[in-house]
Amino acid sequence: MENSSVSGKHLALILVSASLAVFMSSLDGTIVNIALPVISDYFDLSTSSVEWVSTIYLLVMAGALLIIGKITDIIGLKKIFITGFVLFTFGSFACGFFPEQLNSFGALLASRVLQGLGGAMMTVIAPAMISKYMSGAKRAKGMTVVTIFAGIGMALGPTLGGYLTEYLSWNWIFFINVPVGIIAVILGFIVLPKDKSEKSSMKGFDVSGAALIFIGLAGILFGVSEGNTQGWTSVPVIVSLILGIVCVVGFIIRELKAKQPVLDLRLFKNKTFLILNIIFIIMFFTFAGANYLLPFYLQYVQGLSTSSSGLILTVMSFGMMIAGVISGFIYAKLIGKIKYIIMVGAILMALGFFFLSKLSPVSGIWVVVSGLALLGFGIGLMLTPLSTLMMGSVPANKQGMVSSLTGLERFGPMTLGIAFFNILFVEAIKFNVKHSGITEKPPADIAAVILSHGFDFCFLIACIVAVAMIVLSIFIKEREIQVEQ
């Protein structure tokens, strides 16, 4: 259906549908972390084990995004939208119901896989809907609305998750998705235009490349996450890492030869495009560490309730929203100097991590709030210029691929970031107190003073990595962006 065939209230309802999709996927990305300490206690798990509640969701999202982006072009937006919400809604119900009934942490992880598949479809579909059914100024306004809803989802997640966990139970952080999902499915059936029946087939789809990158990412992630628990020389970890590396190398070779690759690696010949992608990856990699570790610090070191911890974590999300609006407003006025917006954002992130690296059991909450505010403002300033410049660095016929790539570079680094910072956290504590076997104990059993050493070291490393973004931003050349338009 062309842009001109939808308008008025119908167009507004399509925008509502797209906003619901991005809102729910963003909400679920932040609502779960605040409940991880409670889930850890309920199933008597270590930090290395309970992190898989977040990791497996992000892993499935990261692995499926490029695949779903390609499939969407073949079977149509409406089918993907409805299928995505059905999977996400059923997966949410399963997450809240089956693990407790079966007394099985594995049931929770399996249900999160369904959620992740649905979430990936919802993430891909929102910008695709805006792009297809809106044009010109309407498209820009539509993307702004979608971005705001994504920010609201991220902002509400910690607070809503905290209150649901404290006053109901951790199950309700999943049940809350069910009524919204049902409404979205009904809305999708009624509002979204019927997909055109085109003679497209899966023949042009690079199945081998998709399988290689999914297996490769899963293998590396499993090896990195479980290495500290099972031992870096254990057979499962070694096999997983070797399999992952071999598959990623195979993916690179495959994509360079494929006629219709899942990801055209030749895009990275553009140096500015490459730099922008590296900064984008680092930004979400470090963000994942803060988002994962801080709930444990606030509850186990500061002794705050789940709801209070969620309220404090909301500071970062609101900082992102406010800075995002500012960034969008000044973007057009700084054409030719946009890299300085990115540079300022990276500086703020580095300062935020520096504040958080000074945490202790007696630190005032203002230290945490200041660090979170700086992180939020930094990320918010960087998101719009990074995304816009990345899309502008490639030819028009590659922008759909890059749209999926940005989704992959959001969830992939977040997946690896959780595993990486968890390893840093455990190793820092073991180094300081020489306490072997810490990974087998629930985090609530570890003394607050000991925990602080791990948190401080993790955020110090994140600060150093953020400095790398500042250096990289110096080499951004906007002149290269317009060449390939």
Side-chain angles (χ1 to χ4, degrees), residues 22 40 44 63 97 118 157 187 205 263 328 357 395 421 428 431 440 470:
V22 74
S40 172
D44 193 26
F97 182 77
L187 192 61
F205 179 62
L263 175 61
S357 70
F421 281 100
F431 178 79
E440 285 78 42
I470 302 173

Side-chain angles (χ1 to χ4, degrees), residues 79-139:
K79 293 185 182 71
I80 292 294
F81 179 92
I82 293 173
T83 302
F85 262 107
V86 168
L87 285 176
F88 185 81
T89 303
F90 178 75
S92 296
F93 174 78
C95 284
F97 182 77
F98 292 115
E100 196 169 69
Q101 294 299 314
L102 301 175
N103 192 28
S104 170
F105 182 64
L108 176 57
L109 297 184
S111 301
R112 287 287 278 173
V113 170
L114 287 179
Q115 260 199 321
L117 285 172
M121 293 181 180
M122 291 155 55
T123 300
V124 170
I125 208 67
M129 289 168 62
I130 298 299
S131 179
K132 182 171 183 178
Y133 300 120
M134 297 181 177
S135 59
K138 287 184 178 180
R139 180 180 297 172

